[in-house]
Amino acid sequence: MTIEKFVECFAELKVINKGTQLDREVTGPYCCDLLSIAMSKMPQGAAWVTVMANVNTLAVATLAEAACIILAEGATLDTDALDKAKEKGVTVLGTHLPVFETALLVYNRINE
Amino acid sequence: MNDKIILKYKVDCDDFTRAGEASSSVKRKLKLMGFDPEIIRKVAISLYEGEINMVIHSYGGTIEVIISPDEIEMILVDKGPGIENIELAMQAGYSTAPDKIRSLGFGAGMGLPNMKKYSDDLNIESIVGVGTTLRIRVYVPIEE
Ligand SMILES: Nc1ncnc2c1ncn2[C@@H]1O[C@H](COP(=O)(O)OP(=O)(O)OP(=O)(O)O)[C@@H](O)[C@H]1O
Ligand SMILES: [Mg+2]
């Protein structure tokens, strides 16, 4: 599923920033809040579910080539981080669901 | 194309808004130069971890990246407290990151182990109270 389609097919997920490169594939969910672990373990094209919502999350998402970031538990970007998301063209979604439920939702939708 | 390309960056301590800029910039350049995605990934991860360690643990410093057809060499020099026990710092899970930094998602103690894993050669020299110098090399296999 492309990021473009992915963003459209979840009523549960709010679009915080629509990025560029929307034709890339979303490969599956990945969960981790510790940046240096996410950096080395996240598969390319992951929908990265995390509660960390600062500029560093965006730097890691870009370097690890995540398809998008999904902020769970109602986490939101501060102004610096939102500017960074726009500058880097990173797609960021948000939800009040907990991390596991969010990842499960993504997993089921991608694999249905 | 035997020439080396040298890129230089300045890293300020505690400047999280710009942290990752050097690694992003190097990544972009390597992509344009047509390096293999796996090589780029190794460089990006190693350099990001080094860069962020300078932001968090040092008082700032410089990064020099030397791109040759057969290897990418990164030299990170910082002024700072230095690392007292390098062997201990290299252990997965070891971190002295304060709570304020941990709340940003750092402090897993995986930065140096990541650098070791994703580079082909890692050399650390550190003098306590003076600073730390890292030399990270990623080899580019010659295509037949
Ligand atoms: N440039 C540096 N100057 C001084 N101390 C450093 C430097 N780089 C690393 N260290 C020391 O080595 C420890 C381990 O570094 P490492 O990058 O593995 O983990 P971390 O930075 O604490 O956490 P993580 O990288 O997982 O977010 C640090 O906590 C710090 O004590
Ligand atoms: Mg580190």
Side-chain angles (χ1 to χ4, degrees):
Chain A
M1 188 186 296
T2 63
I3 303 177
E4 177 102 65
K5 266 194 77 189
F6 185 85
V7 170
E8 282 160 11
C9 82
F10 288 102
E12 302 88 340
L13 305 181
K14 187 179 124 218
V15 180
I16 296 172
N17 185 57
K18 195 162 176 176
T20 50
Q21 296 187 285
L22 295 168
D23 54 341
R24 285 180 53 207
E25 276 299 299
V26 183
T27 51
Y30 173 81
C31 310
C32 186
D33 296 321
L34 289 169
L35 298 173
S36 58
I37 293 179
M39 184 77 205
S40 77
K41 297 285 168 63
M42 186 175 350
Q44 274 186 28
W48 180 18
V49 185
T50 177
V51 295
M52 280 300 158
N54 56 58
V55 285
N56 309 296
T57 319
L58 292 148
V60 170
T62 314
L63 288 165
E65 308 208 346
C68 64
I69 297 170
I70 306 177
L71 300 174
E73 297 279 10
T76 50
L77 296 178
D78 56 30
T79 327
D80 274 352
L82 185 59
D83 287 349
K84 190 71 133 193
K86 291 196 172 123
E87 177 199 323
K88 302 258 175 199
V90 182
T91 298
V92 183
L93 309 170
T95 175
H96 282 278
L97 291 170
V99 171
F100 177 75
E101 278 77 357
T102 308
L104 185 64
L105 186 78
V106 170
Y107 182 87
N108 287 338
R109 196 69 52 88
I110 285 179
N111 293 296
E112 79 193 1
Chain B
M1 219 219 25
N2 274 320
D3 302 37
K4 292 184 173 179
I5 292 177
I6 301 178
L7 306 169
K8 287 181 183 168
Y9 302 90
K10 194 168 157 287
V11 180
D12 294 326
C13 73
D14 292 330
D15 188 0
F16 288 103
T17 49
R18 287 184 46 82
E21 290 295 312
S23 1
S24 299
S25 157
V26 170
K27 185 181 173 187
R28 218 164 31 239
K29 294 212 164 77
L30 293 178
K31 231 179 197 168
L32 285 174
M33 292 169 77
F35 279 93
D36 180 77
E38 221 17 70
I39 300 291
I40 297 177
R41 182 174 153 80
K42 287 169 76 172
V43 170
I45 293 178
S46 310
L47 189 56
Y48 174 76
E49 295 292 2
E51 186 181 0
I52 212 77
N53 276 357
M54 288 169 84
V55 173
I56 295 175
H57 305 294
S58 88
Y59 310 146
T62 55
I63 296 176
E64 191 172 301
V65 180
I66 305 157
I67 306 171
S68 325
D70 60 345
E71 82 167 16
I72 292 135
E73 183 176 12
M74 298 159 261
I75 300 163
L76 290 69
V77 182
D78 72 50
K79 287 194 170 58
I83 305 173
E84 208 173 297
N85 184 339
I86 294 175
E87 205 182 318
L88 183 63
M90 287 298 301
Q91 283 179 15
Y94 177 83
S95 173
T96 60
D99 286 348
K100 185 184 77 166
I101 299 296
R102 285 178 196 260
S103 70
L104 295 172
F106 299 108
M110 288 307 295
L112 289 170
N114 277 352
M115 275 184 245
K116 176 97 197 150
K117 180 174 164 197
Y118 287 98
S119 66
D120 296 305
D121 184 46
L122 172 64
N123 179 54
I124 307 175
E125 277 167 30
S126 193
I127 303 172
V128 173
V130 178
T132 303
T133 297
L134 270 83
R135 186 159 159 268
I136 313 167
R137 293 161 76 193
V138 171
Y139 303 142
V140 182
I142 307 291
E143 282 171 43
E144 295 298 314

